[in-house]
Amino acid sequence: WVACAKMATKITEELHGDEAQLPAFKVDISGLTCMTLEVPSVQSKDAWNSFLQLLSLADGIVILRIADEAEHDQEGYLSKSPLLAEVYEIIENRPMFIVCVCKGPVRASLMTLPALSQLVVATADATFGLPKYRHDLHPITPIALKKRLMEKAARRLQLVGDPIDANEAQRLGLVDFVGSEAAVENEICRLIYRNCSPASQYFMYKSDLVKAMREKEEN
């Protein structure tokens, strides 16, 4: 403790000059880590397994980019595999902040990802919807949607089947930010800079802090 206090005093003197009387020590705090994962709806079993492994290792900020021209998974792999249930479990139990980027159509079981995300940004041309046939939908998707949508809105999406645009999704609570592609990318950069940049913080021992406060009150 004495050695740390002397070191803190030395650092304080270097920062504030010889007149410094308040020993403090500086701690460099690293920002959150950031990982970006591309999430097309149509990909092989090995690709989905790789996605799951990367997600299980991630912490900090995870950016999921849903940019797909396919309306939904034609082979129905997502709806028939336990993948999304494992994704749900990982997101619920790991310390991560999910940012979902939606561009183009987001359909069927892929709707699970924005529903589980803490922040969803979408371009103006993004659309969201559930399939007309229940066999195209993973059982975990309706459960995930209840995290963001009221039960009435989620049930309507399942029963009607008509896609909604990004503005309507924002009104319902599924999307947080809607803008042009440039605006969406700028918002992502702002979030990364704010949360992933390193920072410095100064600390004082309790005894030094109490002493400094007393001297301030006396003066």
Side-chain angles (χ1 to χ4, degrees):
W1 286 78
V2 175
C4 292
K6 290 182 178 179
M7 184 178 297
T9 304
K10 181 179 179 181
I11 294 176
T12 307
E13 291 176 352
E14 291 176 354
L15 293 173
H16 303 290
D18 296 334
E19 297 178 0
Q21 300 295 328
L22 305 179
F25 57 94
K26 176 184 175 183
V27 176
D28 293 326
I29 303 175
S30 59
L32 297 175
T33 60
C34 183
M35 176 184 289
T36 299
L37 297 175
E38 297 286 343
V39 193
S41 63
V42 181
Q43 53 183 330
S44 64
K45 180 179 178 180
D46 293 337
W48 278 120
N49 289 334
S50 298
F51 167 78
L52 186 62
Q53 291 178 3
L54 290 172
L55 186 64
S56 64
L57 297 174
D59 57 8
I61 295 180
V62 179
I63 300 175
L64 301 179
R65 289 185 173 272
I66 304 178
D68 206 349
E69 298 179 356
E71 288 292 328
H72 61 276
D73 183 6
Q74 299 290 343
E75 298 180 358
Y77 175 73
L78 273 180
S79 62
K80 297 179 177 64
S81 73
L83 173 78
L84 284 179
E86 296 181 39
V87 170
Y88 184 98
E89 183 178 359
I90 290 173
I91 293 177
E92 287 291 297
N93 293 282
R94 281 193 62 81
M96 61 176 66
F97 188 92
I98 305 293
V99 178
C100 187
V101 184
C102 301
K103 300 179 180 180
V106 181
R107 297 290 188 274
S109 298
L110 217 57
M111 288 275 288
T112 306
L113 298 180
L116 292 176
S117 302
Q118 284 74 37
L119 184 68
V120 180
V121 296
T123 55
D125 61 344
T127 57
F128 304 82
L130 297 173
K132 299 179 181 179
Y133 304 101
R134 293 187 62 85
H135 67 267
D136 287 335
L137 192 65
H138 194 282
I140 203 68
T141 304
I143 299 175
L145 284 173
K146 291 181 180 180
K147 288 182 170 293
R148 276 191 163 262
L149 299 179
M150 296 179 62
E151 186 174 356
K152 181 179 179 180
R155 188 174 298 177
R156 181 183 180 280
L157 283 176
Q158 295 181 63
L159 294 178
V160 177
D162 295 335
I164 59 176
D165 60 17
N167 291 321
E168 178 66 11
Q170 185 179 30
R171 188 185 71 82
L172 295 176
L174 183 62
V175 173
D176 301 298
F177 179 88
V178 178
S180 64
E181 186 168 355
V184 167
E185 295 300 327
N186 288 337
E187 179 66 11
I188 296 171
C189 292
R190 185 187 70 82
L191 291 170
I192 294 175
Y193 178 80
R194 181 182 184 275
N195 296 282
C196 300
S197 298
S200 299
Q201 191 168 0
Y202 293 89
F203 294 90
M204 294 181 64
Y205 292 105
K206 183 178 179 180
S207 58
D208 298 323
L209 179 60
V210 172
K211 180 181 178 181
M213 293 178 65
R214 287 177 179 173
E215 291 179 354
K216 183 178 180 180
E217 291 175 356
E218 291 174 358
N219 297 330

